Amino acid sequence: MTQPLLKIDDLHVHFHTEEGTVEALDGVNLEIYEDEVLGIIGESGCGKSVTALSTIGLLQSPPAEVVSGSIEYAGQDILRLSQRELNNIRGNDVTMVYQDPMTSLNPVLTIGKQVTEPLRTHSDVSASAARQQAIEMLEACGLADADRIMDQYPNELSGGMRQRVVIAMALITEPKLLLADEPTTALDVTIQAQIMDLLKELQEEFGMSILFISHDLGVISEIADRIAVMYAGNIVENCTMRELFDEPLHPYTRALSKSIPSLSDDPDRLPVIEGVVPDLRNPPSGCRFASRCPQYIGDVCDAVDPALAAADGSEKHEVACHLYTDIVDETPPADWEHLSAPSTGASSRTESGESQ
Ligand code: SF4
């Protein structure tokens, strides 16, 4: 079988704060293959961004500490690389697009200076050749009049144009893996749809892999081949997009799916997942979703942390829940509705109340 481009194995990350140690990642396992788009969905604070930042050693330490686990990129152990070796990978082989383009761009440098910088840093290309490549990449990212934009500053562009510039910066070195951390969240719905279309086109054109992070199931369904559902520092379900919509297994995934508002919902009361996320300074020893789980099955949920394992009938559909382990002999109730994939721009609401 093909080796994954990125393999995260049993990753535990803690943050040491004045209020205590936050156990932010609790044994995350992920694999991304070449030319694949993996979506990570979950509410704010569930560990999506921490997972992405860990991948290229961008977590600030302290307060962050990778306590255990491994991250392998193209066969290299990321956690054992020197700073110089890491710098050769990030911004070159692995690049990142953040949520807010204004925080990714330096307001006092021209667009041209910023888009050409990754090329100038990672190759011997001349200034004129770098400029020409930057213009071509800006055009590929849908920016007409790229030659003029090269000499402008970020504040002279609209939010959508700035995000296209940030995408051009991330792609100019032709990376093998793009980490996209909520790249459309700060944009209005029309621009969001354009940026999603652009990312899909560029992914196909360049054949890169993408780790796409979002709290919006509608957005993520537009681009992902597979999806990992995160809750409170754990991956609780990992499957194809089709499997997620046809047969979500984990109670959290089901609740998340049902919380997508529809036109028939009472507008005064949007569906939410009752309860709150556990305090990760003192997380439960068993299932982290137990206090909110509508399918809670008793003491085993509080006592034993369920491992992510293949669900019956599909080795590729993994779930972390005792409903699917040998610990209990109980099949999940069939009281949930099968779902259709939301259309472009569909909104979803997480339990934290975020919506788009
Ligand atoms: Fe619910 Fe128990 Fe499954 Fe956790 S392990 S999701 S509490 S049924």
Side-chain angles (χ1 to χ4, degrees):
M1 188 180 173
T2 324
Q3 291 299 310
L5 180 64
L6 177 73
K7 185 173 181 353
I8 298 178
D9 192 23
D10 199 21
L11 186 66
H12 291 252
V13 173
H14 291 179
F15 285 85
H16 302 288
T17 70
E18 287 181 3
E19 289 76 36
T21 297
V22 179
E23 299 182 22
L25 295 188
D26 179 40
V28 165
N29 294 296
L30 273 184
E31 290 180 353
I32 303 177
Y33 291 84
E34 278 181 21
D35 201 17
E36 180 183 52
V37 181
L38 174 71
I40 300 185
I41 189 153
E43 63 203 279
S44 297
C46 71
K48 308 182 297 290
S49 299
V50 174
T51 303
L53 292 170
S54 305
T55 301
I56 44 176
L58 280 178
L59 285 178
Q60 192 179 349
S61 177
E65 181 193 4
V66 176
V67 178
S68 59
S70 66
I71 303 168
E72 232 177 69
Y73 168 76
Q76 301 171 85
D77 184 346
I78 290 286
L79 299 178
R80 291 181 186 277
L81 294 182
S82 67
Q83 201 58 39
R84 186 175 173 172
E85 289 168 324
L86 260 182
N87 287 341
N88 281 338
I89 292 176
R90 58 189 176 206
N92 189 22
D93 267 22
V94 183
T95 58
M96 192 151 183
V97 175
Y98 296 89
Q99 183 178 129
D100 182 359
M102 211 48 194
T103 58
S104 311
L105 293 169
N106 188 327
V108 299
L109 296 179
T110 62
I111 299 300
K113 175 85 179 152
Q114 297 184 67
V115 178
T116 54
E117 190 191 345
L119 269 184
R120 305 277 282 154
T121 303
H122 294 285
S123 68
D124 294 330
V125 68
S126 68
S128 60
R131 182 178 174 91
Q132 187 54 37
Q133 281 190 50
I135 290 171
E136 287 168 14
M137 184 54 75
L138 288 171
E139 286 171 349
C141 289
L143 287 163
D145 206 3
D147 197 29
R148 184 174 59 84
I149 289 172
M150 288 284 285
D151 299 319
Q152 290 187 299
Y153 290 86
N155 70 311
E156 298 178 83
L157 306 182
S158 68
M161 291 170 82
R162 285 196 288 262
Q163 194 61 307
R164 287 173 193 269
V165 168
V166 170
I167 292 170
M169 275 169 67
L171 298 189
I172 196 156
T173 56
E174 299 189 13
K176 294 187 177 67
L177 175 62
L178 176 71
L179 308 172
D181 189 357
E182 308 236 17
T184 61
T185 300
L187 306 172
D188 68 48
V189 177
T190 315
I191 305 298
Q192 174 180 291
Q194 291 172 9
I195 296 292
M196 291 305 296
D197 287 344
L198 173 67
L199 279 173
K200 276 188 283 185
E201 276 171 29
L202 295 173
Q203 192 268 333
E204 281 166 21
E205 187 178 337
F206 294 109
M208 65 191 163
S209 306
I210 300 181
L211 178 65
F212 190 96
I213 291 172
S214 180
H215 64 268
D216 191 316
L217 208 43
V219 167
I220 228 164
S221 70
E222 291 298 310
I223 193 164
D225 302 309
R226 271 191 313 124
I227 185 161
V229 182
M230 284 196 84
Y231 181 78
N234 290 131
I235 304 279
V236 296
E237 188 156 359
N238 186 354
C239 58
T240 63
M241 277 313 302
R242 195 67 262 167
E243 286 169 328
L244 185 104
F245 286 112
D246 283 351
E247 191 170 10
L249 295 179
H250 196 279
Y252 175 64
T253 315
R254 293 178 182 182
L256 199 61
S257 302
K258 285 181 178 176
S259 71
I260 298 173
S262 71
L263 290 175
S264 58
D265 285 336
D266 176 356
D268 293 330
R269 182 163 173 75
L270 290 170
V272 294
I273 303 171
E274 301 294 344
V276 293
V277 184
D279 184 348
L280 296 185
R281 288 170 302 178
N282 186 22
S285 51
C287 173
R288 291 187 172 191
F289 190 53
S291 66
R292 311 171 74 186
C293 180
Q295 293 176 243
Y296 175 82
I297 49 174
D299 292 346
V300 66
C301 296
D302 293 317
V304 183
D305 187 6
L308 190 67
D312 280 351
S314 171
E315 280 188 12
K316 289 182 181 165
H317 194 158
E318 297 177 313
V319 61
C321 172
H322 293 310
L323 287 167
Y324 307 93
T325 64
D326 293 336
I327 291 179
V328 288
D329 181 18
E330 188 167 328
T331 50
D335 63 346
W336 50 278
E337 296 156 14
H338 283 229
L339 295 149
S340 300
S343 58
T344 307
S347 298
S348 68
R349 174 172 287 267
T350 67
E351 62 208 84
S352 62
E354 293 166 321
S355 63
Q356 287 201 83

